Amino acid sequence: MLSFEQFLVFEIAAGCNLSREHAAHCPSGRADRWQRLPHDTPISDRLIYDAVRQAYHDCGFRGQVAWHYYCEPMLAWDRLKRLLPRMRREVPQARFCLWTNGTRFPPDLSELRIFDSLWISNYENLDRRPLAMIVPDLHVLNGLLDDRTGGALDVGTAPCRRPFNEVIIDYYGNVHLCCMDWRGEISIGNLWRESLQTLAERFVGLRDMVMCSPMPVDAPTVCRACAFRDPQPAKLVPPIDTEALEYARAKPCES
C-alpha cells in the first residue's frame, strides 16, 4: 500500500524558528493553516510509535521516517532523542531522515548519526560538507523559497507525482496528500481518529487519481488548480523514486 512512498513525515514540533523571516513565502506561522483542520491535541509519542509500526509491518512502507513538514524538527531535539532509539528498538527496520534549516544543530554533532539521511535547506549559505563525515547521505539545498502561499493557479490536466514523495502527518495528526495543500483542503483524516492503515488507503486512492495523465476532472480542486505539479517523484530515497514513477506510468487510469 505505501511501498512507493519515500518518506513518512511527522511534524514533530509546533513551529519554526525562521517563520517570521520567511513569512511571505512559508505557511509555517500562518493562522489559516488550521481553519479547516482539527488542531486541539498534538500527536503523542505513542501515536507515532504505533503509526510507524503499522507503516512498516502492515502497509508495506520501505522508506524513511522524517520529522519536518512546516516545522524545524531540531526545536524538538530532546523529544527526538527520546523517540528515535526506542523506535529503532520497537521497529528495527525503521530508518530516519532529518530535514532541517541547519540553525539548531546539537553541540555534539555525533548525535546526528542516528539519522540515515540529512537534508539541509542552507539558508545561511554555509559549508556543510564536513557533516558528511557524520551522516554520509548528506544533501545540501540552496534554500530558495517558492510562492506556495500566493495561490498560483494552473488549472490544467497535467498529472502530479509529488504525493509519492511523502505521506504527511501534521502536528495535530491531520494527514495531507501533499505539502502544497498546507491548508488541508483535501480531507483525508486524522490519526487520532483512525488507524494509519485506514488513512493510507484513502491517501493512496487520491494519490493514484492525481498521478494519472490527464488528471481526472474529479480530482481534488486544489490539485487541479496547483501550479507546482511534479511530473515525477523527487529523488529522496532511491530506488523507491524510480519504482514509483514506473508504477505511475504503468498503472491504468480510469477514463
Side-chain angles (χ1 to χ4, degrees), residues 22-219:
H22 297 164
H25 300 282
C26 180
S28 175
R30 292 186 53 147
D32 56 344
R33 272 192 71 186
W34 309 110
Q35 287 180 353
R36 297 173 173 85
L37 299 168
H39 55 281
D40 300 321
T41 309
I43 49 175
S44 66
D45 291 1
R46 184 71 265 164
L47 204 65
I48 294 172
Y49 289 134
D50 291 344
V52 169
R53 187 182 299 106
Q54 282 186 57
Y56 282 104
H57 290 176
D58 304 322
C59 299
F61 182 66
R62 300 176 292 152
Q64 297 181 8
V65 182
W67 311 97
H68 49 283
Y69 192 35
Y70 286 116
C71 76
E72 169 47 51
M74 295 307 288
L75 296 177
W77 180 230
D78 287 342
R79 185 181 185 187
L80 285 171
K81 284 197 294 184
R82 180 179 71 249
L83 269 170
L84 300 188
R86 179 177 173 184
M87 190 175 296
R88 186 151 276 167
R89 290 193 300 271
E90 294 192 12
V91 188
Q93 68 268 51
R95 294 184 292 157
F96 305 126
C97 162
L98 174 63
W99 197 308
T100 175
N101 60 35
T103 63
R104 293 296 184 99
F105 284 132
D108 182 2
L109 291 175
S110 69
E111 292 181 316
L112 298 177
R113 288 196 174 99
I114 197 165
F115 295 103
D116 297 273
S117 68
L118 174 58
W119 297 72
I120 304 174
S121 297
N122 197 21
Y123 301 116
E124 298 180 305
N125 198 28
L126 299 176
D127 182 5
R128 305 293 191 175
R129 289 173 295 180
L131 287 168
M133 298 293 292
I134 299 167
V135 185
D137 190 9
L138 172 68
H139 307 262
V140 181
L141 310 178
N142 58 30
L144 295 177
L145 295 165
D146 56 41
D147 192 31
R148 66 185 61 189
T149 62
L153 297 180
D154 182 87
V155 194
T157 61
C160 183
R161 280 74 187 255
R162 184 184 287 265
F164 287 105
N165 293 349
E166 57 201 358
V167 179
I168 299 165
I169 300 169
D170 70 27
Y171 187 65
Y172 297 102
N174 304 294
V175 178
H176 296 254
L177 182 64
C178 167
C179 60
M180 295 298 172
D181 184 26
W182 52 269
R183 290 188 179 94
E185 294 179 49
I186 301 171
S187 178
I188 294 178
N190 186 284
L191 193 59
W192 280 110
R193 302 175 182 180
E194 298 178 279
S195 70
L196 180 74
Q197 191 164 0
T198 297
L199 296 166
E201 290 172 357
R202 205 170 292 148
F203 175 94
V204 168
L206 288 164
R207 181 200 71 191
D208 285 6
M209 177 184 291
V210 302
M211 77 177 188
C212 286
S213 180
M215 188 180 290
V217 294
D218 56 344

